[in-house]
Amino acid sequence: MNPVAAPVIDVAGLTKSFGGRKVVDDFAIRVNRGQIYGFLGPNGSGKTTTIRMLCGLLTPDSGQGQCLGYDIRTQAQDIKRQVGYMTQRFSLYEDLSLSENLDFIARVYE
Protein backbone atom coordinates (compact mmCIF):
# COMPACT_ATOMS: atom_id res chain seq x y z
CA MET A 1 0.00 0.00 0.00
CA ASN A 2 1.19 3.48 -0.83
CA PRO A 3 2.26 5.14 2.49
CA VAL A 4 0.57 8.40 1.49
CA ALA A 5 -2.73 6.53 1.02
CA ALA A 6 -2.38 4.50 4.23
CA PRO A 7 -4.93 5.37 6.91
CA VAL A 8 -3.67 7.41 9.86
CA ILE A 9 -5.93 5.45 12.21
CA ASP A 10 -7.02 1.89 11.52
CA VAL A 11 -8.31 -0.13 14.48
CA ALA A 12 -10.77 -2.97 15.00
CA GLY A 13 -12.20 -4.83 17.94
CA LEU A 14 -10.99 -2.36 20.59
CA THR A 15 -12.41 -3.28 23.98
CA LYS A 16 -11.62 -1.85 27.40
CA SER A 17 -13.08 -2.59 30.83
CA PHE A 18 -12.60 -1.00 34.22
CA GLY A 19 -13.63 -2.86 37.35
CA GLY A 20 -15.52 -5.45 35.34
CA ARG A 21 -17.53 -2.78 33.48
CA LYS A 22 -16.99 -2.70 29.72
CA VAL A 23 -16.64 0.94 28.68
CA VAL A 24 -15.56 0.35 25.06
CA ASP A 25 -16.89 -2.71 23.26
CA ASP A 26 -15.62 -3.87 19.86
CA PHE A 27 -14.83 -0.39 18.51
CA ALA A 28 -13.55 -0.02 14.94
CA ILE A 29 -12.64 3.02 12.88
CA ARG A 30 -10.54 3.83 9.85
CA VAL A 31 -9.50 7.43 9.26
CA ASN A 32 -7.62 8.43 6.15
CA ARG A 33 -5.23 11.36 5.99
CA GLY A 34 -7.13 14.62 5.71
CA GLN A 35 -10.40 13.31 7.18
CA ILE A 36 -11.88 14.84 10.31
CA TYR A 37 -13.93 12.88 12.85
CA GLY A 38 -15.72 13.86 16.03
CA PHE A 39 -16.77 11.64 18.93
CA LEU A 40 -20.22 12.47 20.27
CA GLY A 41 -22.03 10.81 23.13
CA PRO A 42 -23.13 11.15 26.72
CA ASN A 43 -20.73 11.18 29.67
CA GLY A 44 -19.48 7.69 30.41
CA SER A 45 -19.99 6.38 26.87
CA GLY A 46 -16.29 5.61 26.28
CA LYS A 47 -15.18 8.56 24.16
CA THR A 48 -12.18 9.53 26.29
CA THR A 49 -11.16 5.90 26.84
CA THR A 50 -11.23 5.31 23.07
CA ILE A 51 -9.13 8.41 22.34
CA ARG A 52 -6.65 7.38 25.03
CA MET A 53 -6.27 3.93 23.43
CA LEU A 54 -5.71 5.52 20.01
CA CYS A 55 -3.07 7.87 21.47
CA GLY A 56 -1.13 5.07 23.16
CA LEU A 57 -2.08 6.19 26.67
CA LEU A 58 -4.15 3.07 27.43
CA THR A 59 -3.67 -0.50 26.21
CA PRO A 60 -6.88 -2.13 24.98
CA ASP A 61 -8.00 -5.36 26.64
CA SER A 62 -8.58 -6.74 23.15
CA GLY A 63 -8.46 -5.56 19.58
CA GLN A 64 -5.73 -4.38 17.30
CA GLY A 65 -4.73 -1.62 14.99
CA GLN A 66 -2.45 1.23 14.12
CA CYS A 67 -2.23 4.96 14.67
CA LEU A 68 0.14 6.87 12.36
CA GLY A 69 1.54 3.52 11.23
CA TYR A 70 2.45 2.43 14.78
CA ASP A 71 0.91 -0.59 16.48
CA ILE A 72 -1.30 0.64 19.33
CA ARG A 73 -0.30 -2.32 21.52
CA THR A 74 3.45 -2.52 20.98
CA GLN A 75 4.50 0.96 19.83
CA ALA A 76 2.61 3.25 22.22
CA GLN A 77 5.75 5.28 22.98
CA ASP A 78 6.16 6.06 19.28
CA ILE A 79 2.54 7.19 19.04
CA LYS A 80 2.93 9.43 22.09
CA ARG A 81 5.89 11.16 20.43
CA GLN A 82 3.71 12.08 17.44
CA VAL A 83 0.25 12.73 18.92
CA GLY A 84 -0.73 15.54 21.26
CA TYR A 85 -3.50 14.87 23.77
CA MET A 86 -4.86 17.44 26.19
CA THR A 87 -7.74 16.67 28.53
CA GLN A 88 -10.58 19.13 28.98
CA ARG A 89 -9.49 19.71 32.54
CA PHE A 90 -5.80 19.71 33.40
CA SER A 91 -5.34 16.99 35.98
CA LEU A 92 -1.61 17.18 36.59
CA TYR A 93 -0.70 20.85 37.11
CA GLU A 94 -3.79 23.05 37.24
CA ASP A 95 -1.74 26.20 37.89
CA LEU A 96 0.01 25.99 34.48
CA SER A 97 -1.41 27.77 31.44
CA LEU A 98 -2.51 25.81 28.38
CA SER A 99 0.76 26.66 26.64
CA GLU A 100 2.82 25.63 29.69
CA ASN A 101 0.92 22.33 29.96
CA LEU A 102 1.50 21.56 26.27
CA ASP A 103 5.19 22.43 26.59
CA PHE A 104 5.52 20.21 29.67
CA ILE A 105 3.85 17.21 28.01
CA ALA A 106 5.90 17.72 24.82
CA ARG A 107 9.12 17.63 26.84
CA VAL A 108 8.01 14.53 28.78
CA TYR A 109 7.34 12.59 25.55
CA GLU A 110 10.26 14.15 23.63
Side-chain angles (χ1 to χ4, degrees):
M1 179 180 277
N2 178 349
V4 173
V8 291
I9 298 171
D10 191 8
V11 298
L14 294 189
T15 301
K16 186 69 177 177
S17 298
F18 295 105
R21 181 173 171 259
K22 203 174 275 189
V23 295
V24 176
D25 186 14
D26 196 30
F27 178 81
I29 192 169
R30 184 178 188 148
V31 179
N32 292 318
R33 182 175 304 280
Q35 291 181 311
I36 298 172
Y37 279 79
F39 282 24
L40 301 174
N43 291 344
S45 64
K47 301 178 302 290
T48 298
T49 299
T50 300
I51 294 294
R52 292 187 68 177
M53 286 190 287
L54 296 175
C55 292
L57 298 170
L58 280 177
T59 302
D61 296 335
S62 61
Q64 60 192 17
Q66 296 184 347
C67 179
L68 300 176
Y70 299 109
D71 186 281
I72 61 169
R73 292 181 158 281
T74 62
Q75 296 177 299
Q77 286 301 107
D78 296 308
I79 296 170
K80 287 188 267 188
R81 286 188 183 98
Q82 298 294 316
V83 174
Y85 171 80
M86 180 61 68
T87 60
Q88 183 175 349
R89 181 170 183 254
F90 306 137
S91 57
L92 191 55
Y93 297 111
E94 293 184 15
D95 57 330
L96 297 181
S97 69
L98 173 62
S99 178
E100 291 167 331
N101 268 283
L102 289 172
D103 183 58
F104 172 75
I105 296 300
R107 283 186 281 133
V108 167
Y109 291 112
E110 301 176 5

